Amino acid sequence: MSDGLPDLPDLLVGSYTATGGGTATGISLVQGGTATTVAVLDDPSFLAVSGDRVYAVSETAPGSVAAFRRTAAGLEHLWDAPAGGDAPCHVRVDPSGTLVVTNYVSGTVTAISLEQAESYAASVLASDGVVGTHGSADRIVVPDAAVATEVLPDVIGPDEDRQEGPHAHQSVATPDGTFLVADLGGDALHEFRIEPGPTFARVGVHHVAPGAGPRHMAWYDGDLIVAGELDGRVHRLRRDASGSFAVVAVAPTFSGEVGESLLSHIEVDHAGRVYVAVRGRDLVVVLDAADGGLSVIGSAPSGGTWPRHFARVPGHLLVANQMSDAVAVLPIGDDGVPGAAVAQIPVGTPTCVVPL
């Protein structure tokens, strides 16, 4: 269903390749509803865009991160860095000037100094043009001094299958110059500050409900909205006078047993509407957070199978349905609830969609 495709911005789509059991060959650029591979990379499951730079994890063991420059022709590869663990699943540019990478399997978080990485890559190319001093013959790998890795505490949750150890999933910056890492395995949010070096400074740990399995987070009106992958609930946390986060509201996203229904990505719009994807039930659920609480106002089919990630663009929600090999285009109604998919953009095993 690609007829009637609305006017959309160009998109970058991360995916799983054959390495991870997927059908893509790398990072895809979508223009006018057509996807083209612009960078060949193993399992680029999550992307971050900052200016003309694109950063992609390679969700492998051991994991790595690749940096690219956006050009008229696509993506120009610049440098690589170790992810500091196995199966990196999220990457983000932090206000500290570092690239923050979370490694799911290893339960580690890594900071890469962008200034040091860019400076090193430029010096290699300016000296004699020989790349790969610290890596392969055709790639620049940043030196260890530009990379710092922190291991999350070995705290486990009640789910013996999924919470046998720490599992770092996503990080978000706070308004306080720190950042939080969601630990799905330990039902905790670990707070850090990046110091020059880079080095990690531990600030604290904030606990979510046992068995919640915090995955992705978003801010609204000073509160942190957290998707519980394992309990099917959305949790609203507020920082108190002591600096700790306390839960002020919790809302289930569906009725019945959780089973294999797993929450994934979450976002909040300016009106306080919380969007969260539910894999297994293949839904996008919308909640209202505008009144200081959380309440479900509606839901809609995700337009495919296993909604791993989504992005909001004016008038539409773009859902990366991992097991449908397509990004579904859902119109957003006046009430904020998506309607049935009006188009499908074919992309192999999509896991992350970023509007440009």
Side-chain angles (χ1 to χ4, degrees):
M1 181 173 55
S2 58
D3 294 341
L5 184 72
D7 186 22
L8 299 174
D10 291 349
L11 312 170
L12 282 177
V13 179
S15 297
Y16 282 124
T17 63
T19 301
T23 60
T25 54
I27 302 172
S28 300
L29 174 66
V30 175
Q31 296 178 306
T34 300
T36 304
T37 300
V38 288
V40 175
L41 189 69
D42 281 345
D43 292 342
S45 64
F46 206 89
L47 313 174
V49 176
S50 178
D52 68 349
R53 294 298 195 264
V54 175
Y55 305 100
V57 301
S58 184
E59 193 178 326
T60 55
S64 62
V65 182
F68 302 87
R69 178 188 291 114
R70 288 172 54 201
T71 68
L75 295 181
E76 175 192 358
H77 181 260
L78 298 176
W79 48 263
D80 294 313
D86 296 342
C89 58
H90 188 268
V91 61
R92 178 183 60 83
V93 178
D94 191 72
S96 63
T98 58
L99 202 61
V100 177
V101 185
T102 43
N103 298 285
Y104 181 83
V105 169
S106 299
T108 58
V109 56
T110 292
I112 303 165
S113 168
L114 290 174
E115 181 181 5
Q116 293 182 51
E118 293 278 336
S119 175
Y120 177 76
S123 68
V124 170
L125 293 175
S127 59
D128 56 10
V130 177
V131 299
T133 304
H134 293 274
S136 64
D138 60 349
R139 289 182 179 269
I140 297 173
V141 179
V142 301
D144 292 343
V147 182
T149 297
E150 186 80 7
V151 180
L152 299 185
D154 192 12
V155 178
I156 61 175
D159 188 323
E160 295 180 358
D161 293 331
R162 296 292 309 279
Q163 296 185 306
E164 80 295 346
H167 292 303
H169 217 300
Q170 186 210 30
S171 73
V172 294
T174 77
D176 308 303
T178 61
F179 68 92
L180 298 165
V181 176
D183 175 11
L184 183 146
D187 291 322
L189 310 177
H190 299 275
E191 188 168 4
F192 298 98
R193 178 178 288 105
I194 296 294
E195 304 288 359
T199 60
F200 283 89
R202 288 184 178 269
V203 176
V205 58
H206 314 278
H207 298 284
V208 190
R215 179 185 172 99
H216 278 201
M217 306 167 281
W219 290 99
Y220 177 70
D221 196 26
D223 290 350
L224 187 68
I225 313 297
V226 182
E229 175 171 332
L230 303 182
D231 71 353
R233 298 171 181 264
V234 174
H235 305 253
R236 182 171 189 161
L237 286 70
R238 184 172 300 157
R239 201 189 283 272
D240 60 25
S242 71
S244 298
F245 282 91
V247 177
V248 296
V250 180
T253 57
F254 50 83
S255 59
E257 295 294 324
V258 174
E260 295 302 314
S261 303
L262 306 175
L263 270 58
S264 58
H265 188 54
I266 192 166
E267 291 189 11
V268 189
D269 71 8
H270 68 280
R273 289 182 291 237
V274 179
Y275 295 82
V276 61
V278 186
R279 295 167 296 173
R281 295 180 182 242
D282 299 333
L283 294 174
V284 175
V285 178
V286 185
L287 304 92
D288 181 18
D291 62 355
L294 280 174
S295 58
V296 174
I297 59 176
S299 64
S302 67
T305 305
W306 210 252
R308 170 72 172 255
H309 190 255
F310 60 81
R312 293 178 298 112
V313 298
H316 293 89
L317 196 71
L318 309 177
V319 184
N321 287 299
Q322 179 181 330
M323 297 184 183
S324 297
D325 290 331
V327 173
V329 181
L330 280 56
I332 298 178
D334 293 338
D335 60 356
V337 179
V342 296
Q344 299 281 352
I345 302 172
V347 185
T349 322
T351 56
C352 176
V353 54
V354 181
L356 298 176

